[in-house]
C-alpha cells in the first residue's frame, strides 16, 4: 500500500503545468489578434488616404496642365499678334522712309534749281555809271 499512498499524495505535474501555460497564452493571443486588427484597419485607412491624395494630386496636376496649356496658347497668340504688328510697323516705316527720301530728292532738285536760278546774274541795262568789269576765267569765276 505504500505505493498507492505515495502515488496518491503527489499530484500529476503535466496536466497542471499545461493549464497554467494555456491560461496566459489565450489573453496574449487575443491581445495580438486585436492589435493585428487595429494595425490592419490603420493600414487600410492609410491606403485609402493615399489613394485620395493621389486622386487629388492627379486632379490638381491636370488643372495646372490645362491652365499652362491655355497660358501657352494665349502667349503664342499674343506673340503672333506682336510679330504681325511689328511687321506692319516695319512696312509702314519703310514706306514713310521711302516717301521722305523721295520728297527730299524732289526738294533737293528744286533747291538746286532754285539756287541755279538765284545764282544767275540778272541782265541789267548797261549804264556807264554802274558798270564795273571783272575778268572772268574759263571756269566762270572772277579772276582776282
Amino acid at each position: 500500500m505504500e505505493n498507492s499512498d505515495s502515488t496518491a499524495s503527489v499530484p500529476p505535474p503535466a496536466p497542471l503545468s499545461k493549464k497554467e501555460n494555456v491560461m496566459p497564452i489565450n489573453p496574449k493571443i487575443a491581445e495580438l489578434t486585436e492589435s493585428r486588427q487595429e494595425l490592419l484597419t490603420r493600414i487600410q485607412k492609410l491606403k485609402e488616404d493615399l489613394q485620395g491624395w493621389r486622386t487629388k494630386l492627379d486632379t490638381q496636376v491636370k488643372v495646372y496642365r490645362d491652365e499652362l496649356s491655355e497660358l501657352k496658347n494665349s502667349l503664342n497668340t499674343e506673340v503672333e499678334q506682336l510679330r504681325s504688328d511689328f511687321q506692319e510697323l516695319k512696312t509702314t516705316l519703310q514706306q514713310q522712309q521711302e516717301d521722305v527720301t523721295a520728297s527730299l530728292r524732289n526738294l533737293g532738285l528744286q533747291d538746286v534749281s532754285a539756287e541755279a536760278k538765284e545764282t544767275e546774274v540778272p541782265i541789267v541795262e548797261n549804264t556807264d555809271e554802274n558798270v564795273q568789269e571783272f575778268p572772268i576765267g574759263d571756269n566762270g569765276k572772277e579772276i582776282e
Side-chain angles (χ1 to χ4, degrees), residues 11-35:
L16 213 182
S17 178
K18 284 183 182 178
K19 284 185 178 179
E20 287 176 4
N21 287 339
V22 169
M23 291 302 273
I25 290 178
N26 284 338
K28 286 184 180 180
I29 290 176
E31 184 181 331
L32 288 174
T33 303
E34 183 181 337
S35 177

Side-chain angles (χ1 to χ4, degrees), residues 106-120:
N106 290 340
L107 288 174
L109 292 176
Q110 290 173 358
D111 285 347
V112 170
S113 304
E115 286 177 17
K117 289 178 184 175
E118 288 176 6
T119 57
E120 288 180 11

Side-chain angles (χ1 to χ4, degrees), residues 33-85:
T33 303
E34 183 181 337
S35 177
R36 179 177 177 257
Q37 189 59 38
E38 288 175 6
L39 288 173
L40 288 173
T41 303
R42 286 179 62 191
I43 289 172
Q44 186 62 34
K45 177 147 177 33
L46 289 173
K47 284 181 179 180
E48 290 170 2
D49 289 348
L50 180 62
Q51 186 60 38
W53 293 339
R54 283 182 179 165
T55 303
K56 286 179 183 178
L57 184 60
D58 288 344
T59 302
Q60 199 64 31
V61 166
K62 184 181 182 318
V63 167
Y64 287 153
R65 281 186 179 163
D66 291 345
E67 288 177 5
L68 285 174
S69 178
E70 288 175 20
L71 286 172
K72 182 181 175 185
N73 289 337
S74 174
L75 285 174
N76 284 339
T77 302
E78 288 182 33
V79 165
E80 286 302 316
Q81 182 63 42
L82 286 172
R83 283 182 181 158
S84 174
D85 290 348

Side-chain angles (χ1 to χ4, degrees), residues 118-129:
E118 288 176 6
T119 57
E120 288 180 11
V121 179
I123 300 174
V124 179
E125 292 184 23
N126 195 0
T127 60
D128 291 335
E129 299 171 347

